[in-house]
Amino acid sequence: MAKLKTGLIQMGLKASTDGSPDEIRQAMLAAHTPLIDDAGKQGVQVLCFQEVFTQPYFCPSQDTKWYAAAEAIPDGPTTRLMMDYAKTYSMVIVVPIYEERMPGVYYNTAAVIDADGSYLGKYSKTHIPQVAGFWEKFFFKPGASDYPVFDTAYCKLGVYICYDRHFPEGWRALALNGAEYVVNPSATVAGLSQYLWELEQPASAVANGYFIGAVNRVGWEAPWNIGEFYGNSYVVNPRGQIEAQASPDKDELLVHEIDLDMVREVRNLWQFFRDRRPDTYDPLIELN
């Protein structure tokens, strides 16, 4: 049996948004450190944080102050720090941060670090919302990747970020590229989308025959207070069953072991990939 020990960390904001992005980064890293160490000691093999994990979810604002929160990947301080942790604990780490790719060009990105501390690559959020409370186009340029799957020491790993989860095309592309486990770091609040949290990702796990680790932050973030980030991070299997779930309101490391043999087992039962008809899907890529 191909067992994989997964870890998801959900966290509330640990510093006032009146502070500088660098001060907030240091506070968030300090809060994460004990949980990273705990994950390493528990033998977690793939660890993922929440979306833009070193900062508040600043997109309710349109304040250029937050451009200073962006850092280089892989040579910025957070990615370098996580490379050290990955090597120390032989742990794959997915590092979702605000990325500056060149002066004035910013992305919502997750770096992927292998268990030996090497940088494998990155995925940048593809679908960028622009609605009240979520003015993301002000901060993020949309990614234009080919939905990479990272051949890590322990599994074939995909990344999809927050709002991406509403779009089935990317989930399918990750499956076709070989993903066995896909993480979705998010920042989502109670209200309109909450009922989708335990609906869309289990459905995507079933449709694509892989495991998904869904991560959300917790608590309220002033001064915006657009809603409560409701946590409830979880791991769902290819049958759509949530196998483990974190609390709605606490800082937490969720550790759960999954059986990757279930990927083949479920795909052999539900032959969705055999029965696909890509020759009929041309209308799906028309620009309307």
Side-chain angles (χ1 to χ4, degrees):
M1 300 177 73
K3 300 291 189 179
L4 177 71
K5 186 169 282 191
T6 67
L8 307 173
I9 294 179
Q10 62 179 37
M11 181 75 64
L13 185 62
K14 299 306 177 200
S16 169
T17 55
D18 292 332
S20 71
D22 186 61
E23 291 169 336
I24 297 170
R25 178 187 299 112
Q26 296 308 317
M28 291 298 286
L29 289 172
H32 277 80
T33 295
L35 297 184
I36 297 169
D37 288 332
D38 189 12
K41 292 170 185 174
Q42 290 193 55
V44 166
Q45 294 166 295
V46 179
L47 179 67
C48 182
F49 311 125
Q50 65 208 21
E51 183 182 22
V52 192
F53 87 102
T54 61
Q55 298 295 327
Y57 180 74
F58 44 71
C59 300
S61 78
Q62 295 187 67
D63 187 344
T64 58
K65 161 186 174 175
W66 299 108
Y67 292 157
E71 20 179 324
I73 295 175
D75 294 326
T78 300
T79 306
R80 285 292 175 188
L81 177 64
M82 295 305 151
M83 291 168 76
D84 290 340
Y85 275 114
K87 186 174 182 179
T88 296
Y89 291 116
S90 298
M91 182 165 59
V92 174
I93 305 181
V94 180
V95 187
I97 59 174
Y98 192 18
E99 180 195 12
E100 182 180 60
R101 198 160 296 178
M102 59 182 290
V105 179
Y106 307 107
Y107 289 85
N108 186 334
T109 298
V112 178
I113 303 167
D114 210 354
D116 62 358
S118 62
Y119 169 70
L120 288 180
K122 61 189 175 184
Y123 168 77
S124 294
K125 187 174 183 175
T126 302
H127 307 92
I128 309 296
Q130 185 73 356
V131 296
F134 299 85
W135 304 118
E136 293 198 11
K137 284 184 168 67
F138 185 86
F139 294 102
F140 309 133
K141 186 173 180 177
S145 72
D146 56 357
Y147 299 101
V149 169
F150 302 94
D151 193 5
T152 75
Y154 305 119
C155 70
K156 295 186 184 302
L157 177 67
V159 182
Y160 216 30
I161 298 177
C162 197
Y163 189 69
D164 281 335
R165 70 182 181 272
H166 303 308
F167 299 87
E169 296 85 356
W171 291 117
R172 177 51 53 88
L174 288 165
L176 294 174
N177 286 338
E180 300 169 300
Y181 177 48
V182 179
V183 290
N184 181 236
S186 296
T188 188
V189 296
L192 181 63
S193 70
Q194 188 168 2
Y195 80 99
L196 296 174
W197 181 247
E198 294 178 13
L199 188 159
E200 284 179 312
Q201 291 168 118
S204 296
V206 170
N208 295 289
Y210 50 45
F211 286 87
I212 295 174
V215 199
N216 188 24
R217 60 179 62 209
V218 297
W220 292 82
E221 294 186 356
W224 310 297
N225 294 318
I226 59 170
E228 183 176 11
F229 295 96
Y230 53 80
N232 283 302
S233 304
Y234 64 83
V235 177
V236 60
N237 69 30
R239 295 191 179 99
Q241 300 162 327
I242 294 176
E243 293 190 348
Q245 189 161 27
S247 67
D249 56 2
K250 294 181 177 62
D251 296 347
E252 193 168 341
L253 164 66
L254 179 68
V255 176
H256 180 67
E257 188 174 73
I258 62 177
D259 179 7
L260 292 177
D261 287 342
M262 190 186 290
V263 172
R264 180 181 297 276
E265 177 187 335
V266 169
R267 289 183 182 180
N268 282 346
L269 177 64
W270 294 104
Q271 283 288 347
F272 297 145
F273 293 93
R274 180 196 65 197
D275 298 334
R276 291 177 66 243
R277 289 291 309 280
D279 54 307
T280 71
Y281 300 158
D282 286 350
L284 298 180
I285 59 171
E286 290 179 1
L287 297 177
N288 295 323

